[in-house]
Amino acid sequence: MRLKDSPEEAAWRAEVRSFLKNEMPEALRPRGDAGPQMGMGMGGGGEAAAAAGFGAEAGPRRPEAQAGGAGFRLAGGPMAEWRKKLADKGWNAPAWPKEYGGAGMSVMEQFILNEEFAEARVMAMGGMGVSMAGPTIITHGTDEQKAEFLPPILRGETQWCQGFSEPGAGSDLASLQTRAVKDGDDYVINGSKIWTSGAQFANWMFMMARTDPEAPKHRGISYFLLDMKTPGITVQPLVTMAGTAMFNQVFFDSVRVPAKNIVGEVNRGWYVGTTTLDFERSGIGNAVGTAQNVARMIRFAKESKEFSALGRNPMVRLELADRLIEANVAKMLSYRVIHLQNSGMVPNHEASMAKLYSSELGQRIARTGMRVIGLYGLSWDTQSAHSPNRGQYSRGYVSSVSGTIAGGTSEIQRNIIAQRGMGLPRD
Ligand SMILES: Cc1cc2nc3c(=O)[nH]c(=O)nc-3n(C[C@H](O)[C@H](O)[C@H](O)COP(=O)(O)OP(=O)(O)OC[C@H]3O[C@@H](n4cnc5c(N)ncnc54)[C@H](O)[C@@H]3O)c2cc1C
């Protein structure tokens, strides 16, 4: 594994860095430690950080962790200006081929781009449209589907959500029961999807439904593109213990979707769902964000006279040292994944290792944050004078729980590592 940039890579890094320095609208620049926690890489849907990268399951990918939920919101002003600047260079969709408006970058170019965006804490603009819907349409879609759906994704006019998980189908996704029955030129969908990140903001959903209940479970599923304004769709927000409603349950009551909105062949949707373009899968945006969080936490522990337990609790300094080491390990795991990809290999259990490690590390960092502020962690009111960093650590602590579930649970990642990485038997 080579850790130093080649001369070409160094030149590309300098180009990206200079673009970010000179072109990013002032309003989107992060301000000190209180600034937005951005920079989760673009390829997999920055918000889609975990997803961009992590998806070593055999079945359709789960980008939701990176999707961080909502993907990007449709917005004007500096966001629109920034999106346009990126789109002009094809940087909204670094992995998409040029003929579809992407940049056609190599995985290493994407990696460097994602790393620099993360270092600069810059808002990624892709979302699930770029990371999931687009590649699927490019690979399996008809010419009509490409013409209809790809340009609005690049222009940021459509926001997509992923309708895969159901109340009875998560890790074992192929057990999904939402039905789609042919009726004339349409299919009629009944059932429900759950944990659908950003469905309340999305105007389109890519989803899988069962079209042949008699077939073996992987072979009776089709892949649909669904307009969220279609009558019969109800989006019900699910409020997490962190008090946010970033995901939803979505109900389908006789929802009519034109047959022309099936991607790929009927009953082959499971295999359509596995599509990826040559996205870099290192999760480097996540790893850089993690290292930045630890650096911020160390600064806070040193500088906050009022809230920091550093002088009172000797455990705090030891834990901070552990987190610093682990943040660097997380980066190394990302480098390993990109090294494999750059050498023409397909990362498999290595991507699971990176996902598992970084999501569990995220939880350890959140626990350390609570130790840093001690009993002030009981206050998470963003306006209270007793809430350090506007309740950020307390909120991060409860939010961190989902990291080891979204994007494939830790148990599933361990199964992949055990079977594919260590050659252990299935049970
Ligand atoms: C923040 C967040 C956002 C999400 N966003 C989306 C989204 O946008 N779209 C979407 O479709 N889904 C989304 N999901 C759903 C996510 O993909 C599932 O929660 C995840 O795949 C696990 O499925 P499940 O919740 O049904 O748990 P289950 O699969 O029921 O698992 C329950 C427990 O059993 C364990 N388990 C299951 N199978 C095995 C096994 N074979 N071996 C060992 N242990 C096992 C699991 O590890 C877990 O601990 C999101 C989830 C979260 C937390």
Side-chain angles (χ1 to χ4, degrees), residues 57 62 64-65 67 69 128 161-173 193-198 246-247 402-403 405-412 415:
E57 294 161 78
R62 295 187 167 281
E64 62 262 14
M128 289 194 216
C161 62
Q162 178 197 36
F164 284 9
S165 303
E166 297 185 4
S171 303
D172 182 16
L173 186 59
K193 297 288 173 183
I194 197 165
W195 320 126
T196 320
S197 303
M246 51 78 69
F247 49 31
S402 67
I405 303 170
T409 68
S410 285
E411 288 76 16
I412 295 300
N415 277 340

Side-chain angles (χ1 to χ4, degrees), residues 33-308:
D33 285 358
Q37 311 255 329
M38 296 172 174
M40 301 309 257
M42 303 174 71
E47 310 93 326
F54 312 126
E57 294 161 78
R61 292 178 305 145
R62 295 187 167 281
E64 62 262 14
Q66 81 196 66
F72 62 94
R73 311 235 162 115
L74 307 175
M79 293 281 278
E81 182 196 339
W82 184 229
R83 182 179 296 113
K84 166 120 187 22
K85 281 186 178 175
L86 293 175
D88 287 347
K89 296 175 85 65
W91 288 10
N92 272 346
W96 289 21
K98 288 190 174 152
E99 61 180 301
Y100 299 116
M105 286 183 203
S106 69
V107 287
M108 200 46 148
E109 287 168 335
Q110 293 172 55
F111 175 82
I112 290 170
L113 184 87
N114 289 338
E115 192 172 26
E116 288 303 317
F117 269 61
E119 288 289 0
R121 293 161 66 204
V122 177
M123 177 74 83
M125 301 303 291
M128 289 194 216
V130 165
S131 65
M132 302 287 290
T136 308
I137 294 165
I138 288 171
T139 311
H140 300 279
T142 60
D143 288 344
E144 290 72 27
Q145 287 170 340
K146 288 175 189 168
E148 180 178 353
F149 294 107
L150 297 180
I153 290 176
L154 289 176
R155 290 194 301 265
E157 290 165 5
T158 47
Q159 178 155 338
W160 291 76
C161 62
Q162 178 197 36
F164 284 9
S165 303
E166 297 185 4
S171 303
D172 182 16
L173 186 59
S175 297
L176 61 89
Q177 294 299 324
T178 292
R179 283 281 279 129
V181 178
K182 184 107 198 307
D183 182 29
D185 290 338
D186 296 336
Y187 279 79
V188 179
I189 299 182
N190 280 287
S192 127
K193 297 288 173 183
I194 197 165
W195 320 126
T196 320
S197 303
Q200 69 271 50
F201 309 115
N203 39 21
W204 283 88
M205 171 189 277
F206 53 92
M207 55 102 65
M208 293 196 285
R210 193 159 296 285
T211 35
D212 182 356
E214 309 302 327
K217 63 181 183 178
H218 293 87
R219 296 180 180 216
I221 293 171
S222 300
Y223 191 107
F224 291 88
L225 306 176
L226 188 59
D227 184 341
M228 291 295 281
K229 288 191 299 301
T230 317
I233 298 178
T234 307
V235 177
Q236 188 175 298
L238 298 170
V239 181
T240 68
M241 66 177 163
T244 54
M246 51 78 69
F247 49 31
N248 307 268
Q249 185 159 8
V250 183
F251 298 92
F252 306 95
D253 181 6
S254 298
V255 173
R256 298 191 84 86
V257 52
K260 70 178 177 60
N261 280 15
I262 288 187
V263 184
E265 285 177 45
V266 176
N267 293 330
R268 300 287 295 169
W270 181 260
Y271 309 97
V272 173
T274 63
T275 304
T276 70
L277 284 180
D278 223 354
F279 281 119
E280 70 98 348
R281 299 176 61 201
S282 68
I284 186 63
N286 246 354
V288 169
T290 297
Q292 290 172 341
N293 285 342
V294 172
R296 272 196 289 271
M297 193 176 282
I298 292 170
R299 258 198 314 276
F300 178 83
K302 282 200 288 201
E303 289 169 7
S304 171
K305 300 280 171 277
E306 187 183 2
F307 295 117
S308 172

